[in-house]
Amino acid sequence: MNMIDKPKKAGPGKRGMIFAEPTIFERGAPGRQGYSLPEDEIPAADPAKEIDAALLRHEAPLLPEVSELDVVRHFTRLSQWNYSIDTGLTPLGSCTMKYNPKVNEEVARMSGFVKLHPQAPVADIQGALELMFHLQHYLAVISGMDAATLQPAAGAQGEFAGLLMIRAHHAAQGNPRKKILIPDSAHGTNPASAAACGYKVVTLKTGPDGVLSADAVAAAMDEETAGIMITNPNTLGLFETHMAEIAKLVHDKGGLVYCDGANQNALVGMARVGDMGVDVLHFNLHKTFTTPHGGGGPGSGAVAVKKVLEPYLPVPTVVRRGEHFDWDYDRPKSIGKVKAFFGNFGMLVRAYTYIREMGAEGLRQVSQRAVLNANYVRKSLEADFHLAYPQVCMHECVFSDKIQKKFGVTTADIAKRMMDYGYHPPTIYFPLVVPGALMVETTETESPQTLDRFIKAMKEIARECREEPETVKAAPHVPKVRRLDEVKAAKEPKFVYVPKNP
Amino acid sequence: MNFPEDLKYTTEHEWVRIEGDVATVGITDYAQEQLGDIVFVELPEEEETIDKGDTFGVVESTKSVSDLYVPLTGAVVETNDPLLDSPEIINEDPYGEGWMIRIKLKKPEEVKELLDAKAYQKLIEEEEEA
Amino acid sequence: MRYLPHTPEEIQKMSQAVGVRSPEELFEVIPQALRLKAPLELPKPLSEIDLVRHLKALGRKNETVDGAGSFLGGGAYHHYIPVAVSTITSRGEFMTSYTPYQPEISQGTLQAIFEFQTMIASLTGMDLANAGNYDGASALAEAVLMALRLTDPAKKTVLLAQSIHPDYRQVVKTYLSNIDCRIVEVPFGPDGRVDAAVLKKSLNDEVAVCCVQSPNAFGVVEEVAKLSAAVKGAGAMMVGCFSEAVSLGLLEPMGRQGADIVVGEGASFGNFLNLGGPYLGLFATKKEFVRQMPGRLVGETVDAEGKRGFVLVLSTREQHIRREKATSNICTNQALCALATTVYLSLLGPQGLQKLARINYSHAHYLREGLLKIPGVQRQFAGPHFNEFAVQLSKDPEEVLSKLRQKGILGGIALKSWAPGMERSLLVCATEMNSKAQMDDYVRAMREVL
């Protein structure tokens, strides 16, 4: 097939020099080492004198034997096989892959932050506590809530902590209740977190207009229901217009409202979920507040709550006592701890730095431009790809493969073809309520020129789907590897490297 | 796509072959195609009693997973163990070698509630439309 | 606003294309009453110069482990991190990439995770390891949940050694707070190890899983093989955990001592102390249990042309597919921390890690011997330790610590709140970062204070 050179009309995707690189275990030579240990001035103590021989390691672990250059070259080559925000547009819906400012990294790696021991006396970490205290406050201000915890390690753990607080609140009223309402457009973590808190999930159907109707909530809400988990804007990129009414229905039956904050990038500075009846919200600091995604973490899932849930926040919270900052462990109603120590502090430094750089007006501009960009993409591609909900969207819009399916091309094929043009595919096959979904979120940090190039590439792919569907179906052609055999990976699982001559 | 006339069907895409008081159960051609390459199957223990509407197992491809629903109440008398090692049989021969369990029926009257081939085909067409 | 590229003209043009007068108009889908009327009350924006100045000032209000002679351990350990680790983890291609759901353009992350899984499996003596959990404590909680799924639902007792780090025990309790089970804590004996006699008495056919930590919260090395034998004999599962990963260079892996699941804190391998996070949960188990394992997993396969490549496998266990029936709600794997660990372990190699572990052991040993010469310092536990140990003081440890602090020394952790009867106990740690001079100073200072 001579398709490899074809997709060069639009988009930045080109073939460059791609290095072959085996696993690091296949590099190096026995006895080689990439770490310099000091000549020790302390006499070596023989562990065998005190530790039973059976408890001492018998075999050397399987680790590479390589030099520092071997290591640097190996991982640099690996890095070049990755697509990243620093390389190009990453239009993943609901993932908010916006630019990660470099100054955040610089300050987060300052020794005054990275070299702090979690068991250090509070007098030694006043700067860190001050930062955390203010960040707690900023997050509450931004979301219209009363208090916040920075402890959860990621959004999913934030959900878990938030639901535990809801449960603790109900238990304190004498009945923890049994069910949680979750719309069918929710992220998978929502039902998984509800289940982890011992709740039965009641799935609510999204209305024909893409939003949850108050009637659907009224029909399901009762006094055995602990509350609702709602994402606003939802994963269809639409604002839940009945939010206030829904919150009232839930509150009238004694329930509480949980908001999944994954999509806060559409609202910062323009609206606050706390003003919409939400009682608890988790943030994904890596989305709205620019901490890097890192290829899958670390994240940070700060949780903000209304007064009603404040007593249940995980321990410790950060408090100010006069001129000083301190941990507050004296919280008898707390749900306890969800992780050791205090949270992913390194991520908190980055988020704090970003908020201080942007200020109120900067954050307001963030959501305005994120929403403008999304609507620009929506409008520009509406003739080429079917829009599940054609109305004005918030920070993301959801297309589908409905048109392309007629030519035998699916969402997966389109996604793979986008790689050839130099783009990361959007979120695909999610939300589940749109068959063959392509969920596009370009974020506010992308310029109109970048969007225009992306739109042009998408139009070209739409044309290919009509005129040469086989090209699209065989994609990708440009990346280091072609489509991978996932069936083989599942049926003949290889989770670890096995040396040929052990 | 093939939907044999002599089988009964469920709205959850299982097929049922009735022979006396024993029902053989599998998933339909449509279901296997929707799932894609099947890489894992979980089946119940033999002799386990299962109620209509409950789940009796799980079938997985690399990207999706589906519960298997009990079409008729009864006791499991046989499971198709070769599927555990070679789940691809379900893709290759969903109505034959790809059968999953045999149930000895406790409530034969439930058979009336199952769909025939024509009704099932109509159901899929509707699903495709949506 | 340097992160927002649009010029006013471009905003105008794009608004027109979309059919609105200004971006604000797009927010009219939000009911008027729910829109924000006043600006957020946040501090004024800062330029990069002022921002760096401000953050530096905050940083200066902290005392780092470099500044004071630090002998703090207790779940977080000060180790040297070669510069090359940060060089790699700072690369934008790793730092700003997405979760590797699209394998063709994520081979770097995927292969690095595969290498990570290989290293962790070997270090723990297990068949396989996942791509990472949040931290050691939540990994332990997930291990307990996994063990409960793998055992007879009628078994509802979880045994938790009291010599497990208190934060870890607390996190396990939080995770199990709505699971139908009972947590029973198993005390430690005078040697600082799990009291085997009490453990044996606690074992019955109600017990689903038993968790121990080695080296435990007091630094003491547990006899895991013996405990495992008793636990397995009673038909329960054994979970081994650790908070100091460098100990893996010296001690026999718990996977080889009968543990079914081994979890721990991996931060010591190349991650900064960071006031307690981000850290890295390590999670390893046997092949036969893999379908109940939480978290991300990478497997090797081939592409359409037969070339080697890596993909996420068994995703059907995870929340994005299985939703409320998932093995866990986790959807990140601390990927960048796992990368730091992979680079760090590659630099060390098998010899380097074992040597580093021995240096740690020797340092703690040296410091212990020095401290024990002081009247008023007694060894708390007879059991052998790795790089930290508990001592009993003749004076209140809090007071002693604050006097040591005045001399620029972070002398350890008072154990009063960790377990009953430890009002006079102090946990002291020494790593390769503590020089001979520093340790000699510490002993001298302690002598003066007591």
Side-chain angles (χ1 to χ4, degrees):
Chain A
M1 281 194 293
N2 184 26
M3 287 154 181
I4 292 159
D5 303 323
K6 244 181 169 169
K8 295 304 152 51
K9 294 169 195 159
K14 299 282 180 288
R15 271 212 161 194
M17 194 185 275
I18 298 175
F19 290 93
E21 181 66 16
T23 67
I24 193 144
F25 304 101
E26 295 156 278
R27 284 259 177 249
R32 192 179 291 167
Q33 200 178 308
Y35 183 80
S36 68
L37 284 161
E39 251 339 291
D40 208 16
E41 34 174 11
I42 306 250
D46 179 10
K49 280 194 182 150
E50 293 190 4
I51 305 178
D52 191 32
L55 299 177
L56 294 173
R57 180 174 272 281
H58 291 96
E59 255 176 53
L62 174 62
L63 294 176
E65 297 186 87
V66 287
S67 70
E68 182 170 314
L69 173 58
D70 290 335
V71 171
V72 169
R73 196 168 277 165
H74 174 78
F75 288 102
T76 301
R77 286 181 176 183
L78 259 54
S79 78
Q80 291 171 335
W81 302 343
N82 269 2
Y83 190 95
S84 67
I85 298 175
D86 282 2
T87 332
L89 171 69
T90 309
L92 283 153
S94 267
C95 300
T96 314
M97 296 292 281
K98 60 162 94 172
Y99 174 62
N100 306 142
K102 298 304 169 194
V103 69
N104 295 0
E105 295 306 313
E106 174 79 8
V107 299
R109 285 166 203 257
M110 284 178 184
S111 76
F113 296 122
V114 294
K115 293 197 170 181
L116 302 184
H117 197 285
Q119 305 275 12
V122 288
D124 284 355
I125 51 171
Q126 283 298 304
L129 291 174
E130 185 179 338
L131 183 150
M132 291 173 82
F133 179 81
H134 289 307
L135 183 59
Q136 281 176 184
H137 175 68
Y138 299 159
L139 293 175
V141 166
I142 289 167
S143 56
M145 309 295 272
D146 297 318
T149 173
L150 307 173
Q151 188 176 103
Q157 210 182 40
E159 291 178 21
F160 179 60
L163 289 170
L164 284 179
M165 287 188 257
I166 290 181
R167 192 172 177 113
H169 160 81
H170 287 305
Q173 322 291 309
N175 178 9
R177 303 195 177 195
K178 295 195 174 70
K179 299 174 283 181
I180 290 275
L181 310 180
I182 302 179
D184 52 7
S185 60
H187 294 108
T189 47
N190 289 184
S193 300
C197 293
Y199 283 121
K200 193 174 164 292
V201 174
V202 179
T203 307
L204 300 180
K205 243 176 124 63
T206 300
D209 50 354
V211 296
L212 194 58
S213 73
D215 289 347
V217 176
M221 188 64 209
D222 59 23
E223 268 145 27
E224 277 306 318
T225 303
I228 189 167
M229 284 185 97
I230 193 162
T231 309
N232 196 12
N234 66 24
T235 61
L236 294 163
L238 304 177
F239 188 83
E240 290 288 356
T241 40
H242 310 297
M243 187 75 198
E245 211 180 329
I246 289 168
K248 186 170 184 307
L249 283 166
V250 173
H251 288 151
D252 283 350
K253 300 268 181 190
L256 294 176
V257 179
Y258 186 103
C259 182
D260 179 328
N263 295 341
Q264 288 307 291
N265 212 47
L267 297 185
V268 278
M270 295 301 289
R272 311 191 302 174
V273 297
D275 302 334
M276 304 171 192
V278 169
D279 300 295
V280 47
L281 158 95
H282 82 259
F283 289 96
N284 301 85
L285 295 185
H286 69 270
K287 295 181 183 178
T288 321
F289 301 106
T290 68
T291 75
H293 202 289
S300 178
V303 175
V305 297
K306 286 276 177 62
K307 273 265 177 290
V308 61
L309 290 178
E310 197 177 347
Y312 308 106
L313 288 171
V315 278
T317 54
V318 184
V319 292
R320 176 150 53 186
R321 306 193 204 278
E323 292 292 292
H324 295 278
F325 298 91
D326 199 0
W327 304 118
D328 183 9
Y329 282 95
D330 186 20
R331 307 182 62 82
K333 290 184 174 174
S334 164
I335 58 160
K337 287 179 92 71
V338 292
K339 78 178 283 301
F341 308 120
F342 323 109
N344 283 347
F345 176 71
M347 300 297 118
L348 306 180
V349 177
R350 291 166 172 90
Y352 174 89
T353 305
Y354 177 71
I355 293 172
R356 291 305 308 264
E357 167 142 10
M358 300 306 281
E361 180 53 25
L363 291 177
R364 193 178 153 82
Q365 288 297 325
V366 163
S367 47
Q368 285 195 15
R369 298 190 195 190
V371 171
L372 179 64
N373 274 2
N375 278 287
Y376 185 72
V377 170
R378 174 182 63 84
K379 205 72 190 154
S380 306
L381 289 174
E382 66 183 358
D384 303 275
F385 294 91
H386 175 254
L387 267 174
Y389 298 92
Q391 67 261 48
V392 166
C393 62
M394 298 298 286
H395 64 301
E396 64 192 8
C397 58
V398 182
F399 298 99
S400 83
D401 58 2
K402 202 169 179 180
I403 298 172
Q404 287 69 30
K405 257 192 156 164
K406 281 181 238 148
F407 312 109
V409 183
T410 65
T411 285
D413 301 324
I414 296 166
K416 299 298 180 198
R417 185 59 173 161
M418 286 173 69
M419 298 174 187
D420 289 339
Y421 282 83
Y423 296 105
H424 194 291
T427 301
I428 55 172
Y429 298 105
F430 184 85
L432 306 176
V433 291
V434 177
L438 286 146
M439 184 200 214
V440 178
E441 177 183 6
T442 48
T443 83
E444 75 283 2
T445 56
E446 298 299 338
S447 71
Q449 290 76 32
T450 305
L451 296 186
D452 283 337
R453 268 201 303 274
F454 169 69
I455 288 160
K456 194 169 168 220
M458 290 306 288
K459 283 179 180 291
E460 224 166 283
I461 293 173
R463 181 195 57 74
E464 287 176 343
C465 291
R466 289 192 303 272
E467 295 171 10
E468 41 176 327
E470 293 310 314
T471 307
V472 183
K473 283 163 77 174
H477 307 279
V478 173
K480 176 179 179 279
V481 290
R482 304 287 302 275
R483 282 193 207 195
L484 288 146
D485 188 345
E486 300 196 30
V487 174
K488 181 184 165 74
K491 281 201 195 157
E492 305 160 30
K494 276 196 211 172
F495 304 118
V496 296
Y497 171 76
V498 180
K500 276 160 202 101
N501 301 305
Chain B
M1 230 174 286
N2 170 24
F3 305 107
E5 292 284 332
D6 60 327
L7 301 182
K8 298 285 185 187
Y9 299 88
T10 71
T11 54
E12 309 291 343
H13 309 290
E14 287 89 14
W15 57 260
V16 182
R17 179 179 288 119
I18 310 284
E19 285 155 317
D21 62 351
V22 172
T24 305
V25 181
I27 62 166
T28 67
D29 199 11
Y30 175 76
Q32 70 77 18
E33 196 181 281
Q34 288 291 308
L35 278 163
D37 292 314
I38 293 168
V39 295
F40 179 74
V41 189
E42 198 178 281
L43 297 175
E45 300 283 324
E46 280 176 24
E47 291 175 36
E48 201 177 300
T49 303
I50 51 180
D51 290 327
K52 180 182 159 125
D54 284 355
T55 59
F56 72 81
V58 168
V59 57
E60 289 183 14
S61 64
T62 56
K63 288 277 156 55
S64 68
V65 50
S66 289
D67 284 323
L68 299 164
Y69 290 93
V70 179
L72 299 163
T73 302
V76 179
V77 289
E78 200 181 344
T79 58
N80 188 8
D81 294 338
L83 296 183
L84 301 177
D85 285 327
S86 308
E88 65 276 9
I89 299 171
I90 299 166
N91 292 117
E92 289 155 11
D93 188 8
Y95 301 113
E97 293 299 312
W99 69 275
M100 292 173 169
I101 56 168
R102 291 194 217 283
I103 307 172
K104 188 165 163 66
L105 302 182
K106 285 232 175 91
K107 298 181 181 167
E109 66 277 12
E110 286 171 349
V111 174
K112 288 198 297 277
E113 295 160 32
L114 297 172
L115 306 174
D116 63 17
K118 204 175 272 168
Y120 178 66
Q121 200 148 0
K122 193 159 167 251
L123 176 91
I124 307 177
E125 280 160 16
E126 281 165 13
E127 277 196 16
E128 288 280 89
E129 290 283 300
Chain C
M1 274 171 288
R2 56 184 165 155
Y3 309 139
L4 304 173
H6 312 68
T7 65
E9 295 73 36
E10 286 173 338
I11 291 178
Q12 188 60 35
K13 242 176 89 186
M14 288 173 79
S15 299
Q16 266 171 17
V18 170
V20 292
R21 272 158 292 135
S22 71
E24 282 97 332
E25 202 180 318
L26 294 166
F27 287 81
E28 284 172 14
V29 294
I30 303 178
Q32 172 74 29
L34 303 186
R35 273 180 258 157
L36 194 59
K37 312 289 183 306
L40 294 171
E41 284 180 41
L42 294 174
K44 278 201 203 74
L46 296 176
S47 68
E48 181 163 343
I49 294 174
D50 291 330
L51 196 59
V52 172
R53 197 174 285 148
H54 169 63
L55 269 294
K56 263 192 185 149
L58 276 178
R60 270 197 302 272
K61 292 184 189 175
N62 300 319
E63 188 66 63
T64 72
V65 286
D66 282 343
S70 168
F71 298 88
L72 299 174
Y77 305 88
H78 185 203
H79 293 291
Y80 184 73
I81 302 174
V83 173
V85 173
S86 295
T87 306
I88 297 300
T89 57
S90 305
R91 287 190 68 90
E93 299 94 324
F94 280 128
M95 198 171 68
T96 72
S97 58
Y98 184 60
T99 304
Y101 290 137
Q102 296 288 349
E104 295 87 348
I105 51 173
S106 314
Q107 283 298 301
T109 295
L110 288 163
Q111 184 170 323
I113 295 175
F114 182 77
E115 293 170 358
F116 169 80
Q117 291 175 179
T118 304
M119 293 177 193
I120 302 309
S122 169
L123 282 166
T124 54
M126 282 295 184
D127 295 332
L128 58 100
N130 76 7
N133 281 59
Y134 301 133
D135 67 353
S138 62
L140 178 62
E142 292 269 19
V144 174
L145 291 171
M146 172 173 158
L148 288 169
R149 289 193 295 271
L150 283 165
T151 43
D152 183 342
K155 292 177 185 273
K156 291 193 194 299
T157 302
V158 175
L159 298 183
L160 212 51
Q162 213 172 45
S163 49
I164 293 175
H165 191 286
D167 274 17
Y168 288 41
R169 279 181 285 140
Q170 217 182 346
V171 172
V172 170
K173 283 173 196 166
T174 307
Y175 270 69
L176 296 186
S177 55
N178 298 298
I179 305 288
D180 179 20
C181 68
R182 195 165 69 101
I183 298 174
V184 176
E185 294 207 347
V186 183
F188 48 89
D191 58 354
R193 287 170 156 169
V194 171
D195 190 324
V198 178
L199 174 68
K200 274 176 201 150
K201 261 190 249 157
S202 314
L203 285 166
N204 54 45
D205 53 13
E206 292 268 287
V207 176
V209 53
C210 174
C211 306
V212 299
Q213 178 180 337
S214 182
N216 67 26
F218 312 118
V220 177
V221 181
E222 297 275 4
E223 296 183 283
V224 178
K226 282 188 194 158
L227 303 175
S228 298
V231 169
K232 308 283 272 291
M237 291 187 81
M238 181 73 173
V239 174
C241 122
F242 54 88
S243 67
E244 168 52 304
V246 170
S247 68
L248 300 175
L250 181 72
L251 301 177
E252 181 70 345
M254 286 185 269
R256 299 247 179 88
Q257 297 191 65
D260 299 296
I261 306 170
V262 178
V263 292
E265 177 52 66
S268 283
F269 290 156
N271 285 284
F272 287 105
L273 284 168
N274 265 327
L275 197 65
Y279 283 0
L280 171 64
L282 305 179
F283 200 118
T285 190
K286 298 177 183 172
K287 258 187 209 142
E288 59 262 41
F289 303 139
V290 65
R291 297 196 66 86
Q292 288 302 332
M293 189 180 210
R296 196 162 287 156
L297 258 176
V298 170
E300 183 185 323
T301 185
V302 293
D303 76 354
E305 288 165 357
K307 276 191 299 211
R308 172 152 80 174
F310 300 90
V311 289
L312 295 177
V313 286
L314 300 184
S315 306
T316 44
R317 297 164 299 119
E318 295 186 62
Q319 49 75 27
H320 62 284
I321 294 175
R322 195 70 133 225
R323 299 177 80 85
E324 66 265 33
K325 289 180 184 165
T327 53
S328 165
N329 70 342
I330 195 167
C331 74
T332 47
N333 67 320
Q334 303 288 105
L336 211 58
C337 300
L339 177 69
T341 288
T342 313
V343 177
Y344 178 85
L345 289 172
S346 299
L347 291 166
L348 257 72
Q351 306 313 324
L353 178 62
Q354 292 181 94
K355 191 173 163 199
L356 178 70
R358 281 171 182 268
I359 290 177
N360 272 257
Y361 177 78
S362 296
H363 282 214
H365 199 268
Y366 178 81
L367 180 60
R368 186 192 79 195
E369 291 307 296
L371 287 172
L372 290 180
K373 287 196 187 106
I374 304 169
V377 181
Q378 278 187 322
R379 192 166 169 179
Q380 172 100 38
F381 299 119
H385 60 80
F386 175 58
N387 66 356
E388 63 186 328
F389 54 92
V391 287
Q392 265 204 320
L393 304 181
S394 55
K395 289 188 179 164
D396 175 30
E398 303 271 8
E399 254 172 59
V400 171
L401 285 174
S402 102
K403 284 186 183 150
L404 288 170
R405 181 67 194 83
Q406 285 161 21
K407 296 172 184 287
I409 295 169
L410 293 168
I413 301 164
L415 293 175
K416 192 166 59 185
S417 62
W418 285 35
M422 304 197 78
E423 286 72 18
R424 289 274 155 122
S425 308
L426 181 70
L427 186 66
V428 183
C429 174
T431 71
E432 78 278 12
M433 300 306 280
N434 299 109
S435 66
K436 182 166 180 295
Q438 239 182 33
M439 292 192 279
D440 292 344
D441 281 349
Y442 180 31
V443 172
R444 207 170 302 125
M446 183 65 99
R447 197 183 290 275
E448 285 165 21
V449 167
L450 281 177

